[in-house]
Amino acid sequence: MAVELIAAFEDDRSFNDFMHSTELMPDIVIVDAQLGDETNGLELKQKWEGQINSDWVLFSSYVDRYLTYQAKKAGFVACFSKEIKPSVMLNLLKGDLSQFIFYPEDFEPKNSERHIGSVTAALQLLTQREKDVVRVIYEGHSSKKGADILHISPYTFETHKKKYFQKIGNKQFT
C-alpha cells in the first residue's frame, strides 16, 4: 500500500475549506486531538460524520484510557501518541483497521472500556450540585472547606456527598 499525503492543515477552518473545494477523498484522515483554534479532533470528526467516507485517526501528545475510549466511541479507527515513529504508524495503518488500534501499547484499553463506560453512565445520575461536591473533594478540601467554597452548610455538603456515594459508590464497575 502506497501512502500519499494529499494535504496538511493547522486548523479546522483550512480542513473545511479544502474538503469543500476538492473532489479528492482521503482514505485516512489523521487529526490532532487539540487543534489550533476552538475545536478539537473529536468535534471535527463529528462535524464531518456521514459526509466523507474516510478512516479517522486521532493523534495526541497524551494518549490514555479515556482518550482512547472517546476516540473509539466517536468512530476513530486508531488513537496514536505523537511519540510514534512514522514507520510504526504506517505499519499499523496498513493492518486491519476494523479493529481499533492504539499506541503506545503499554496499557490495555479493552479492559477499561466497560469500566469507563459504566463510570460515565453513573456520572449521568449525579445532580450538578453532587458533581460540584465531588470536584471540591477531588481538589482535596475538607467537608467544612468544601461547604464554604460552595456556599452551603456543612450538613448540606455531607448530604450531597452521601447521595453521591449511594449513586456511585455502590455501583458495580466491571
Side-chain angles (χ1 to χ4, degrees), residues 55-73:
D55 290 321
W56 288 68
V57 174
L58 192 62
F59 207 52
S60 180
S61 297
Y62 182 71
V63 174
D64 63 4
R65 286 176 174 88
Y66 188 64
L67 183 63
T68 58
Y69 170 78
Q70 288 181 308
K72 187 173 182 181
K73 185 177 175 185

Side-chain angles (χ1 to χ4, degrees), residues 22-93:
T22 186
E23 292 183 17
L24 292 174
M25 283 298 137
D27 294 321
I28 297 175
V29 174
I30 301 173
V31 62
D32 199 318
Q34 285 303 124
L35 299 173
D37 51 7
E38 298 177 6
T39 191
N40 64 50
L42 296 164
E43 293 167 340
L44 182 65
K45 182 179 183 322
Q46 184 179 15
K47 186 188 304 185
W48 282 90
E49 193 70 36
Q51 297 181 49
I52 59 175
N53 190 21
S54 302
D55 290 321
W56 288 68
V57 174
L58 192 62
F59 207 52
S60 180
S61 297
Y62 182 71
V63 174
D64 63 4
R65 286 176 174 88
Y66 188 64
L67 183 63
T68 58
Y69 170 78
Q70 288 181 308
K72 187 173 182 181
K73 185 177 175 185
F76 284 81
V77 297
C79 184
F80 295 146
S81 166
K82 290 182 181 178
E83 296 174 1
I84 193 170
K85 293 179 181 177
S87 60
V88 173
M89 181 171 64
L90 289 173
N91 283 334
L92 288 171
L93 292 176

Side-chain angles (χ1 to χ4, degrees), residues 128-171:
Q128 184 57 51
R129 186 51 100 183
E130 289 164 349
K131 290 176 186 176
D132 294 340
V133 167
V134 171
R135 177 185 47 81
V136 170
I137 292 169
Y138 181 75
E139 291 170 354
H141 300 291
S142 67
S143 293
K144 183 178 181 329
K145 178 68 175 171
D148 289 342
I149 290 170
L150 297 176
H151 307 290
I152 57 177
S153 76
Y155 176 77
T156 302
F157 187 92
E158 287 297 321
T159 300
H160 287 302
K161 190 164 91 173
K162 179 181 174 185
K163 287 181 180 180
Y164 161 76
F165 282 111
Q166 287 173 338
K167 291 177 180 178
I168 303 297
N170 296 332
K171 180 96 174 134

